[in-house]
Amino acid sequence: MSDGSSPMHCPKCGSTMNLHAEKLLDPRNRSDQVVMNSTLRGIVYEIFACPACGASAWRVEA
Amino acid sequence: MTIERPLYIPVILGTVRRGRLSEPIAKLMTEELRKRPGLETDLIDIAAMPLPINDAGQAIRDAAYSDAMIRADAVVIVAPEYNHGYSGLLKHVLDSCLEEYIHKAAGIVGVSAGPWGGTRVIENLLPVLRELGLMTIFWDVNVANAQQVFGPDGDLRDQTLPGRIDKFLKELIWMAKTLRYGREHISLE
C-alpha cells in the first residue's frame, strides 16, 4: 500500500490487495486531463494484486 | 514459497492468416505446457476474437481476452514474422489491454518461413511488451523454415524443438512464479 493511499479491497474476495506497480499512461482526451499528474504529465495508475486469490485491480492514483 | 493456485499461462496465436504456419507451433506449445504439473493453459487464437477495426486500444477491449490476461501469470506469444515485423492484428489485440499485463511474464516464439526463426519479430516485439508492463524472459523459441517443421501427417520433424521449448518454458515458469509472488506480496515502497 502506498503512503497516503487508501487500501484497495479485492473485488472477488474482499482481502486487502497489494500495490505492486504504478503505470504512467498518456492522457487521451479532455477528461483525462482532469486526473493527470502534472509533474509526470500523464495519468498514474496504481496496480494491485490480491495475495489471497490472485485477482487484479487498478485505479487512478489519488 | 508455496504455489497453491495453478499457474495460468495461455498461448496467444498471433496471426489470422489462412494457412498460417504458426498454428501447429502454437498447438505444440500448448501441448508442452499441459504436460507440466500445476499449470493450466489455453490457446488464444486472435483469429477467433472479435477485432473491430473502426477503433483501437482499450476501447476495443474484449471481455474474454481481458479476463484471460487478468488470470494469467505469464503468456506465450507465438509471433510470425511478416516483412521483418509482427502482425498488425497481433498488435491490435495486445493494445486492447494494459493494466491486465503489469508484472506478468512473457515469452516469445518467433516463427518464420525463412532461416532466421523470427529473430527480427522477437526484437521488434520486445519494446512493445516492455511498455505494456510485461516482463520478457531471455529465452526465445525460434522456429525457422516453419513449413518444414511438421510433416503432412502432423508429425514433428524438427527434433531439436522440444529441447529448446523445454528450456524456454522452464525459464518462463520460473519468472511466472517469481512475479506472482512479487505482485501479491511485495509492495511498491
Side-chain angles (χ1 to χ4, degrees), chain B residues 79-144:
Chain B
E81 184 174 301
Y82 297 149
N83 298 322
H84 291 204
Y86 43 81
S87 157
L89 286 173
L90 171 60
K91 181 69 162 46
H92 196 50
V93 169
L94 290 173
D95 286 349
S96 69
C97 290
L98 180 58
E99 293 90 348
E100 294 90 330
Y101 301 128
I102 306 297
H103 284 164
K104 309 249 175 110
I108 311 171
V109 178
V111 183
S112 66
W116 309 119
T119 50
R120 291 174 286 226
V121 69
I122 292 172
E123 293 301 311
N124 283 332
L125 257 179
L126 291 177
V128 174
L129 301 183
R130 175 180 179 267
E131 182 58 21
L132 290 174
L134 289 161
M135 305 286 118
T136 55
I137 61 171
F138 51 72
W139 279 93
D140 306 315
V141 177
N142 300 97
V143 182

Side-chain angles (χ1 to χ4, degrees), chain B residues 12-33:
Chain B
I12 299 172
L13 172 51
T15 173
V16 305
R17 257 190 206 182
R18 296 185 185 186
R20 51 206 177 161
L21 300 173
S22 299
E23 184 171 355
I25 306 296
K27 288 179 177 175
L28 176 63
M29 295 303 301
T30 310
E31 288 165 8
E32 291 297 317
L33 279 162

